[in-house]
Short mmCIF file of all heavy atoms in Angstrom, two decimals:
data_model
loop_
_atom_site.label_atom_id
_atom_site.label_comp_id
_atom_site.label_asym_id
_atom_site.label_seq_id
_atom_site.Cartn_x
_atom_site.Cartn_y
_atom_site.Cartn_z
N ASN A 1 132.63 119.43 155.54
CA ASN A 1 133.49 118.30 155.82
C ASN A 1 134.98 118.59 155.84
O ASN A 1 135.78 117.65 155.77
CB ASN A 1 133.18 117.13 154.85
CG ASN A 1 131.89 116.41 155.19
OD1 ASN A 1 131.53 116.30 156.35
ND2 ASN A 1 131.20 115.97 154.17
N HIS A 2 135.38 119.85 155.91
CA HIS A 2 136.79 120.19 156.05
C HIS A 2 137.00 120.84 157.43
O HIS A 2 136.33 121.81 157.77
CB HIS A 2 137.23 121.21 154.94
CG HIS A 2 137.22 120.59 153.57
ND1 HIS A 2 136.10 120.60 152.76
CD2 HIS A 2 138.17 119.94 152.92
CE1 HIS A 2 136.38 119.97 151.63
NE2 HIS A 2 137.63 119.56 151.71
N ARG A 3 137.93 120.27 158.21
CA ARG A 3 138.19 120.81 159.53
C ARG A 3 138.84 122.18 159.45
O ARG A 3 139.73 122.41 158.63
CB ARG A 3 139.09 119.85 160.32
CG ARG A 3 138.39 118.61 160.76
CD ARG A 3 139.29 117.65 161.45
NE ARG A 3 139.96 118.28 162.57
CZ ARG A 3 140.24 117.68 163.74
NH1 ARG A 3 139.87 116.41 163.92
NH2 ARG A 3 140.83 118.33 164.67
N SER A 4 138.29 123.09 160.29
CA SER A 4 138.77 124.46 160.26
C SER A 4 138.91 124.98 161.72
O SER A 4 138.07 124.65 162.55
CB SER A 4 137.81 125.37 159.52
OG SER A 4 137.69 124.96 158.19
N ARG A 5 139.90 125.80 161.93
CA ARG A 5 140.06 126.48 163.22
C ARG A 5 139.23 127.75 163.22
O ARG A 5 139.00 128.35 162.21
CB ARG A 5 141.52 126.82 163.47
CG ARG A 5 142.39 125.60 163.73
CD ARG A 5 143.56 126.01 164.64
NE ARG A 5 144.14 124.82 165.24
CZ ARG A 5 143.68 124.20 166.35
NH1 ARG A 5 142.67 124.74 166.98
NH2 ARG A 5 144.28 123.15 166.82
N LEU A 6 138.82 128.14 164.42
CA LEU A 6 138.04 129.37 164.59
C LEU A 6 138.96 130.58 164.76
O LEU A 6 140.08 130.43 165.17
CB LEU A 6 137.13 129.23 165.82
CG LEU A 6 136.17 128.04 165.76
CD1 LEU A 6 135.35 128.02 167.04
CD2 LEU A 6 135.28 128.10 164.57
N PRO A 7 138.49 131.76 164.45
CA PRO A 7 137.21 132.16 163.89
C PRO A 7 137.15 132.02 162.40
O PRO A 7 138.19 131.99 161.73
CB PRO A 7 137.10 133.64 164.32
CG PRO A 7 138.53 134.11 164.32
CD PRO A 7 139.33 132.90 164.75
N ILE A 8 135.92 131.96 161.85
CA ILE A 8 135.70 131.80 160.43
C ILE A 8 134.55 132.75 160.01
O ILE A 8 133.58 132.87 160.73
CB ILE A 8 135.28 130.38 160.05
CG1 ILE A 8 136.27 129.33 160.58
CG2 ILE A 8 135.08 130.21 158.56
CD1 ILE A 8 135.77 127.93 160.48
N SER A 9 134.69 133.36 158.83
CA SER A 9 133.62 134.13 158.25
C SER A 9 133.38 133.49 156.88
O SER A 9 134.25 133.35 156.07
CB SER A 9 134.06 135.59 158.10
OG SER A 9 133.00 136.33 157.54
N LEU A 10 132.10 133.14 156.60
CA LEU A 10 131.73 132.44 155.40
C LEU A 10 130.67 133.27 154.64
O LEU A 10 129.98 134.07 155.22
CB LEU A 10 131.22 131.06 155.72
CG LEU A 10 132.13 130.15 156.49
CD1 LEU A 10 131.36 128.93 157.03
CD2 LEU A 10 133.28 129.69 155.63
N SER A 11 130.50 132.90 153.38
CA SER A 11 129.48 133.52 152.52
C SER A 11 129.49 135.04 152.60
O SER A 11 128.49 135.71 152.84
CB SER A 11 128.08 133.01 152.91
OG SER A 11 127.99 131.65 152.77
N ARG A 12 130.73 135.58 152.44
CA ARG A 12 130.95 137.04 152.47
C ARG A 12 130.41 137.66 153.76
O ARG A 12 129.76 138.74 153.75
CB ARG A 12 130.28 137.70 151.25
CG ARG A 12 130.92 137.25 149.94
CD ARG A 12 130.36 138.02 148.78
NE ARG A 12 130.93 137.49 147.57
CZ ARG A 12 130.24 137.28 146.50
NH1 ARG A 12 128.95 137.51 146.45
NH2 ARG A 12 130.83 136.81 145.41
N GLY A 13 130.69 137.00 154.87
CA GLY A 13 130.31 137.54 156.17
C GLY A 13 128.88 137.25 156.60
O GLY A 13 128.48 137.64 157.69
N LYS A 14 128.13 136.52 155.79
CA LYS A 14 126.74 136.21 156.16
C LYS A 14 126.64 135.14 157.24
O LYS A 14 125.61 134.98 157.85
CB LYS A 14 125.94 135.77 154.91
CG LYS A 14 125.72 136.91 153.94
CD LYS A 14 124.91 136.42 152.74
CE LYS A 14 124.71 137.55 151.74
NZ LYS A 14 124.00 137.08 150.55
N LEU A 15 127.74 134.40 157.44
CA LEU A 15 127.77 133.36 158.47
C LEU A 15 129.13 133.49 159.17
O LEU A 15 130.18 133.34 158.56
CB LEU A 15 127.60 131.96 157.83
CG LEU A 15 127.46 130.80 158.77
CD1 LEU A 15 126.15 130.93 159.60
CD2 LEU A 15 127.40 129.48 158.00
N ARG A 16 129.04 133.79 160.47
CA ARG A 16 130.27 133.98 161.26
C ARG A 16 130.33 132.91 162.35
O ARG A 16 129.28 132.64 163.03
CB ARG A 16 130.31 135.38 161.87
CG ARG A 16 130.46 136.43 160.80
CD ARG A 16 130.44 137.82 161.37
NE ARG A 16 129.13 138.07 161.94
CZ ARG A 16 128.92 138.75 163.05
NH1 ARG A 16 129.90 139.30 163.71
NH2 ARG A 16 127.70 138.94 163.48
N ILE A 17 131.49 132.31 162.54
CA ILE A 17 131.64 131.25 163.53
C ILE A 17 132.86 131.63 164.38
O ILE A 17 133.96 131.82 163.86
CB ILE A 17 131.90 129.90 162.81
CG1 ILE A 17 130.80 129.64 161.78
CG2 ILE A 17 131.95 128.77 163.85
CD1 ILE A 17 131.16 128.59 160.78
N TYR A 18 132.69 131.67 165.66
CA TYR A 18 133.78 132.05 166.53
C TYR A 18 133.58 131.46 167.91
O TYR A 18 132.51 130.93 168.23
CB TYR A 18 134.02 133.55 166.58
CG TYR A 18 132.84 134.40 166.86
CD1 TYR A 18 132.55 134.84 168.19
CD2 TYR A 18 131.95 134.78 165.86
CE1 TYR A 18 131.46 135.62 168.45
CE2 TYR A 18 130.85 135.56 166.13
CZ TYR A 18 130.60 135.97 167.44
OH TYR A 18 129.52 136.76 167.72
N GLN A 19 134.61 131.56 168.74
CA GLN A 19 134.56 131.06 170.09
C GLN A 19 134.13 132.20 171.00
O GLN A 19 134.67 133.32 170.92
CB GLN A 19 135.91 130.49 170.50
CG GLN A 19 135.79 129.64 171.74
CD GLN A 19 136.93 128.66 171.87
OE1 GLN A 19 137.61 128.32 170.90
NE2 GLN A 19 137.16 128.13 173.08
N LYS A 20 133.20 131.92 171.87
CA LYS A 20 132.75 132.89 172.86
C LYS A 20 132.90 132.19 174.23
O LYS A 20 132.16 131.30 174.56
CB LYS A 20 131.32 133.30 172.63
CG LYS A 20 130.81 134.34 173.58
CD LYS A 20 129.43 134.81 173.22
CE LYS A 20 128.99 135.93 174.16
NZ LYS A 20 127.71 136.44 173.81
N GLY A 21 133.94 132.61 174.97
CA GLY A 21 134.23 131.93 176.23
C GLY A 21 134.68 130.50 175.89
O GLY A 21 135.54 130.27 175.03
N LYS A 22 134.03 129.52 176.54
CA LYS A 22 134.36 128.12 176.25
C LYS A 22 133.43 127.48 175.24
O LYS A 22 133.44 126.27 175.02
CB LYS A 22 134.31 127.33 177.56
CG LYS A 22 135.39 127.72 178.55
CD LYS A 22 135.33 126.85 179.77
CE LYS A 22 136.44 127.24 180.71
NZ LYS A 22 136.47 126.41 181.91
N SER A 23 132.60 128.31 174.58
CA SER A 23 131.59 127.82 173.64
C SER A 23 131.82 128.29 172.23
O SER A 23 132.50 129.28 172.00
CB SER A 23 130.19 128.24 174.11
OG SER A 23 129.87 127.70 175.37
N LEU A 24 131.19 127.58 171.32
CA LEU A 24 131.15 127.95 169.92
C LEU A 24 129.91 128.79 169.66
O LEU A 24 128.81 128.47 170.17
CB LEU A 24 131.03 126.63 169.11
CG LEU A 24 130.62 126.72 167.66
CD1 LEU A 24 131.75 127.26 166.83
CD2 LEU A 24 130.21 125.35 167.15
N LEU A 25 130.04 129.85 168.92
CA LEU A 25 128.90 130.72 168.54
C LEU A 25 128.86 130.79 167.02
O LEU A 25 129.84 131.21 166.38
CB LEU A 25 128.99 132.10 169.16
CG LEU A 25 127.82 133.06 168.81
CD1 LEU A 25 126.49 132.52 169.27
CD2 LEU A 25 128.07 134.42 169.39
N ILE A 26 127.73 130.42 166.45
CA ILE A 26 127.47 130.54 165.04
C ILE A 26 126.37 131.56 164.87
O ILE A 26 125.33 131.47 165.50
CB ILE A 26 127.06 129.18 164.41
CG1 ILE A 26 128.16 128.19 164.63
CG2 ILE A 26 126.71 129.33 162.96
CD1 ILE A 26 127.82 126.79 164.22
N GLN A 27 126.64 132.58 164.04
CA GLN A 27 125.67 133.66 163.87
C GLN A 27 125.47 133.96 162.40
O GLN A 27 126.44 134.12 161.65
CB GLN A 27 126.19 134.89 164.60
CG GLN A 27 125.18 136.01 164.69
CD GLN A 27 125.62 137.10 165.65
OE1 GLN A 27 126.71 137.01 166.26
NE2 GLN A 27 124.83 138.13 165.79
N SER A 28 124.21 134.00 161.98
CA SER A 28 123.91 134.26 160.56
C SER A 28 123.49 135.72 160.39
O SER A 28 123.17 136.42 161.34
CB SER A 28 122.78 133.33 160.07
OG SER A 28 121.56 133.79 160.59
N ASN A 29 123.42 136.15 159.13
CA ASN A 29 123.00 137.53 158.82
C ASN A 29 121.51 137.73 159.08
O ASN A 29 121.05 138.85 159.21
CB ASN A 29 123.32 137.86 157.37
CG ASN A 29 122.59 136.98 156.40
OD1 ASN A 29 122.33 135.82 156.61
ND2 ASN A 29 122.22 137.56 155.25
N PHE A 30 120.71 136.66 159.25
CA PHE A 30 119.27 136.82 159.57
C PHE A 30 119.06 136.59 161.05
O PHE A 30 117.90 136.38 161.51
CB PHE A 30 118.40 135.94 158.69
CG PHE A 30 118.70 134.45 158.77
CD1 PHE A 30 118.07 133.66 159.74
CD2 PHE A 30 119.59 133.87 157.94
CE1 PHE A 30 118.34 132.31 159.84
CE2 PHE A 30 119.86 132.51 158.00
CZ PHE A 30 119.24 131.72 158.95
N ASN A 31 120.12 136.62 161.86
CA ASN A 31 120.08 136.58 163.31
C ASN A 31 119.74 135.23 163.93
O ASN A 31 119.23 135.16 165.04
CB ASN A 31 119.16 137.67 163.90
CG ASN A 31 119.94 138.97 164.10
OD1 ASN A 31 121.14 138.97 164.26
ND2 ASN A 31 119.20 140.06 164.06
N LEU A 32 120.02 134.13 163.22
CA LEU A 32 120.04 132.84 163.84
C LEU A 32 121.31 132.79 164.66
O LEU A 32 122.40 133.14 164.16
CB LEU A 32 120.08 131.73 162.77
CG LEU A 32 120.47 130.31 163.28
CD1 LEU A 32 119.42 129.73 164.18
CD2 LEU A 32 120.76 129.39 162.08
N LYS A 33 121.23 132.39 165.93
CA LYS A 33 122.39 132.26 166.79
C LYS A 33 122.35 130.89 167.42
O LYS A 33 121.34 130.50 167.98
CB LYS A 33 122.39 133.32 167.90
CG LYS A 33 122.52 134.74 167.37
CD LYS A 33 122.42 135.77 168.47
CE LYS A 33 122.43 137.15 167.89
NZ LYS A 33 122.27 138.19 168.90
N VAL A 34 123.46 130.15 167.29
CA VAL A 34 123.60 128.81 167.88
C VAL A 34 124.81 128.84 168.75
O VAL A 34 125.93 129.11 168.28
CB VAL A 34 123.69 127.70 166.81
CG1 VAL A 34 123.81 126.34 167.45
CG2 VAL A 34 122.48 127.78 165.86
N LEU A 35 124.62 128.50 170.04
CA LEU A 35 125.72 128.43 171.01
C LEU A 35 125.86 126.99 171.45
O LEU A 35 124.87 126.37 171.85
CB LEU A 35 125.39 129.35 172.20
CG LEU A 35 126.49 129.62 173.20
CD1 LEU A 35 127.56 130.51 172.57
CD2 LEU A 35 125.90 130.31 174.43
N TYR A 36 127.06 126.41 171.34
CA TYR A 36 127.28 125.05 171.73
C TYR A 36 128.60 124.94 172.51
O TYR A 36 129.60 125.51 172.08
CB TYR A 36 127.36 124.17 170.47
CG TYR A 36 127.76 122.72 170.71
CD1 TYR A 36 127.09 121.95 171.62
CD2 TYR A 36 128.81 122.15 170.01
CE1 TYR A 36 127.48 120.61 171.86
CE2 TYR A 36 129.18 120.83 170.18
CZ TYR A 36 128.51 120.07 171.12
OH TYR A 36 128.86 118.78 171.32
N ASN A 37 128.57 124.28 173.65
CA ASN A 37 129.74 124.24 174.50
C ASN A 37 130.66 123.01 174.25
O ASN A 37 131.50 122.70 175.10
CB ASN A 37 129.33 124.28 175.97
CG ASN A 37 128.67 122.97 176.47
OD1 ASN A 37 128.31 122.12 175.65
ND2 ASN A 37 128.50 122.82 177.74
N TRP A 38 130.56 122.41 173.10
CA TRP A 38 131.33 121.21 172.70
C TRP A 38 131.14 120.07 173.70
O TRP A 38 131.99 119.21 173.83
CB TRP A 38 132.82 121.56 172.59
CG TRP A 38 133.18 122.20 171.30
CD1 TRP A 38 133.19 121.64 170.03
CD2 TRP A 38 133.64 123.52 171.12
NE1 TRP A 38 133.58 122.54 169.13
CE2 TRP A 38 133.87 123.72 169.74
CE3 TRP A 38 133.88 124.61 171.97
CZ2 TRP A 38 134.31 124.91 169.19
CZ3 TRP A 38 134.34 125.79 171.45
CH2 TRP A 38 134.53 125.92 170.08
N ASP A 39 129.98 120.07 174.40
CA ASP A 39 129.74 119.03 175.36
C ASP A 39 128.29 118.62 175.37
O ASP A 39 127.85 117.85 174.59
CB ASP A 39 130.27 119.41 176.78
CG ASP A 39 130.19 118.29 177.75
OD1 ASP A 39 130.13 117.12 177.33
OD2 ASP A 39 130.18 118.57 178.97
N ASP A 40 127.49 119.25 176.27
CA ASP A 40 126.13 118.82 176.48
C ASP A 40 125.10 119.93 176.55
O ASP A 40 124.02 119.74 177.05
CB ASP A 40 126.05 117.96 177.78
CG ASP A 40 126.32 118.81 179.00
OD1 ASP A 40 126.76 119.96 178.89
OD2 ASP A 40 126.12 118.27 180.15
N HIS A 41 125.44 121.10 175.99
CA HIS A 41 124.51 122.21 176.09
C HIS A 41 124.47 122.98 174.74
O HIS A 41 125.48 123.37 174.23
CB HIS A 41 124.97 123.14 177.21
CG HIS A 41 123.93 124.12 177.66
ND1 HIS A 41 122.91 123.75 178.51
CD2 HIS A 41 123.73 125.41 177.35
CE1 HIS A 41 122.13 124.80 178.72
NE2 HIS A 41 122.61 125.86 178.04
N VAL A 42 123.25 123.19 174.23
CA VAL A 42 122.98 123.91 173.00
C VAL A 42 121.94 124.98 173.24
O VAL A 42 120.94 124.68 173.90
CB VAL A 42 122.48 122.99 171.84
CG1 VAL A 42 122.17 123.80 170.61
CG2 VAL A 42 123.49 121.91 171.54
N VAL A 43 122.16 126.18 172.79
CA VAL A 43 121.15 127.25 172.86
C VAL A 43 120.96 127.79 171.46
O VAL A 43 121.93 128.07 170.76
CB VAL A 43 121.61 128.41 173.78
CG1 VAL A 43 120.58 129.52 173.78
CG2 VAL A 43 121.85 127.93 175.20
N ILE A 44 119.69 127.88 171.03
CA ILE A 44 119.37 128.40 169.71
C ILE A 44 118.48 129.62 169.92
O ILE A 44 117.48 129.55 170.65
CB ILE A 44 118.60 127.36 168.86
CG1 ILE A 44 119.43 126.11 168.69
CG2 ILE A 44 118.25 127.98 167.49
CD1 ILE A 44 118.64 124.97 168.11
N LYS A 45 118.86 130.71 169.28
CA LYS A 45 118.05 131.96 169.30
C LYS A 45 117.62 132.26 167.87
O LYS A 45 118.44 132.23 166.95
CB LYS A 45 118.81 133.13 169.88
CG LYS A 45 119.04 133.01 171.38
CD LYS A 45 119.76 134.24 171.91
CE LYS A 45 119.91 134.14 173.38
NZ LYS A 45 118.91 134.90 174.11
N LEU A 46 116.37 132.55 167.70
CA LEU A 46 115.79 132.95 166.41
C LEU A 46 115.08 134.30 166.56
O LEU A 46 114.45 134.54 167.60
CB LEU A 46 114.73 131.93 165.93
CG LEU A 46 115.25 130.62 165.40
CD1 LEU A 46 114.04 129.74 165.01
CD2 LEU A 46 116.09 130.83 164.19
#
């Protein structure tokens, strides 16, 4: 619930959040990847 600018590394690098092109990429240490374009498209890789 606290607004933050990208990029961000959390939990000692176990969760990384950054911008990739025009989209947001969230990547965990167990290889969950979530890509969201801040509009109408979400891609989840497990």
Side-chain angles (χ1 to χ4, degrees):
N1 286 325
H2 293 90
R3 285 176 58 142
S4 300
R5 289 209 162 275
L6 302 180
I8 305 169
S9 180
L10 302 166
S11 300
R12 296 186 184 137
K14 291 180 180 177
L15 189 62
R16 293 177 295 142
I17 309 162
Y18 51 96
Q19 195 157 340
K20 183 174 182 177
K22 294 183 178 182
S23 297
L24 163 74
L25 179 61
I26 299 173
Q27 191 168 359
S28 76
N29 64 325
F30 59 89
N31 274 333
L32 164 69
K33 297 177 183 176
V34 180
L35 191 69
Y36 173 53
N37 71 348
W38 280 291
D39 187 21
D40 66 351
H41 197 79
V42 176
V43 177
I44 302 169
K45 289 184 177 260
L46 285 178

